[in-house]
Each structure stands twice: as C-alpha cells, then as structure tokens.
Amino acid sequence: MALLDLLKHRKSIRSYLDRVVEREKIMMCLEAARVAPSACNSQPWKFIIVDDRELKNKLCDAAFSGIYSVNSFCKMAPVIVAVVSEKSKFLARIGGMFRGTKYYLIDIGIACEHFVLQAEDLGLGTCWIGWFNEQAVKSILNVPRNKKIDILIALGYYDRENVCLEDDREPMDKIASFNSY
Ligand SMILES: Cc1cc2nc3c(=O)[nH]c(=O)nc-3n(C[C@H](O)[C@H](O)[C@H](O)COP(=O)(O)O)c2cc1C
C-alpha cells in the first residue's frame, strides 16, 4: 500500500477479533520501532509485549478498572504492549532541559507510531492507550519503580471491513502555512 493510503487507513481500533497474533508479526512491528529516530540516538524505550492470555487479562483487569474503565475494551485485544520510558542520553537530557522540551516523549511517540504503522501494514489493528493505572501495570510487569510507562498499545486482528475511515481532522489551511505563521 502506498504510504499515504496506509496512513489514512490506520484508525484507532477498539474492537478486536479473538485470534492469536503471530510472534513473527509482532517482531516486525518491534523492528519498525527499533529503527525509529530519536534525539542523540538515545532510543529511550523498552517494549514489553504481553501476549500470554492469562497475564494479559490480569494486566487489563488491573490497568483498566475504576476511573480507567473507559479503556476496558483493551481486554479484547490479544496483545498489550507496555512502552517503558528509559533514560535518554546525557546530551539529550541536558539539551531538553535548556529547551524545555521532553525529547524522550517525542522519541517514544515516533517509535510507537512506527510500531503502529507496521502493524497496520500487516493487517493488525492498534490503539494508543494513555489512560491507565500505571502503578498496577508496573507492578504486574516487574518494571522498576523509578521507570515510567507513558503509553500502552493494544494490538490485534480486527474486522477491516467495518472501520470508519471518515476524515475527522482539521482542514489543511488551519494546520499548515508556508513561510509565516
Ligand atoms: C498519546 C495518545 C494517547 C491515547 N490514549 C487513548 C486512550 O487512552 N484510549 C483510547 O481509546 N484512545 C486513545 N488514543 C487514541 C486517540 O483517541 C485517537 O488516535 C484519536 O481520536 C484519532 O482517532 P484515530 O486514531 O482513529 O485516527 C490515544 C492516542 C494518542 C496518540
């Protein structure tokens, strides 16, 4: 698929088929994330793939209860990816402090979107998940207390025929201009 078509076909998927996702496909998504650019080539990420059904269900029950239950649809997804934010390289951290910019979040965003787009190309659906009980996820996945999990990604097969591809984005003239603000 041409890149722009792929980008337009990617939508957040909140309903998944009960079908195992092959490890080879997950590895391709991880490879896409691995080659992502990052400030000072810091690569400040670690991806924890949760594809063991029992563990994934336990994780979802803990991550999406109470105020987070709006995201309990994730339990339908056969795979949950927890993205651990790792320490950036010294230069990126210092530069980020001077600039007041959290480069590591930009880096993680790019790597995750690589993952997500590779998934889409393989016929897999995803949903970025930023609203979840982080402490519960860290505890279940044995993530050290000093680390952060800023984002999860739900991953799985989905019904490609029943996705609304409506363009709900801002018009071009609102988001871009040439040569001046
Ligand atoms: C950083 C980030 C966090 C998000 N968190 C959630 C979330 O917690 N739950 C959810 O259902 N969707 C979440 N989304 C998906 C957005 O709602 C979605 O991308 C947006 O509405 C555009 O729709 P589309 O992805 O279908 O094009 C998140 C997306 C991003 C990029």
Side-chain angles (χ1 to χ4, degrees), residues 6-7 9-17 21 25-26 29-30 49 73-74 77-81 111-129 151-160 163:
L6 180 81
L7 299 178
H9 202 274
R10 185 224 50 86
K11 285 281 149 193
S12 291
I13 301 301
R14 299 186 177 88
S15 178
Y16 294 89
L17 305 178
V21 177
K25 293 195 174 174
I26 298 175
C29 297
L30 286 170
I49 307 295
F73 68 86
C74 289
V79 182
I80 298 290
V81 183
C112 288
E113 192 62 4
H114 275 205
F115 185 104
V116 157
L117 292 174
Q118 179 61 72
E120 175 60 34
D121 198 42
L122 292 167
L124 292 161
T126 54
C127 190
W128 286 70
I129 302 294
I151 206 80
L152 303 175
I153 301 171
L155 173 74
Y157 284 100
Y158 68 109
D159 179 359
R160 287 172 74 86
V163 175

Side-chain angles (χ1 to χ4, degrees), residues 18-49:
D18 187 12
R19 179 176 161 193
V20 170
V21 177
E22 302 86 341
R23 280 270 172 102
E24 307 79 65
K25 293 195 174 174
I26 298 175
M27 290 309 296
M28 286 176 76
C29 297
L30 286 170
E31 179 64 3
R34 194 182 70 83
V35 300
S38 56
C40 299
N41 202 18
S42 285
Q43 304 162 69
W45 48 65
K46 175 151 187 197
F47 294 82
I48 305 177
I49 307 295

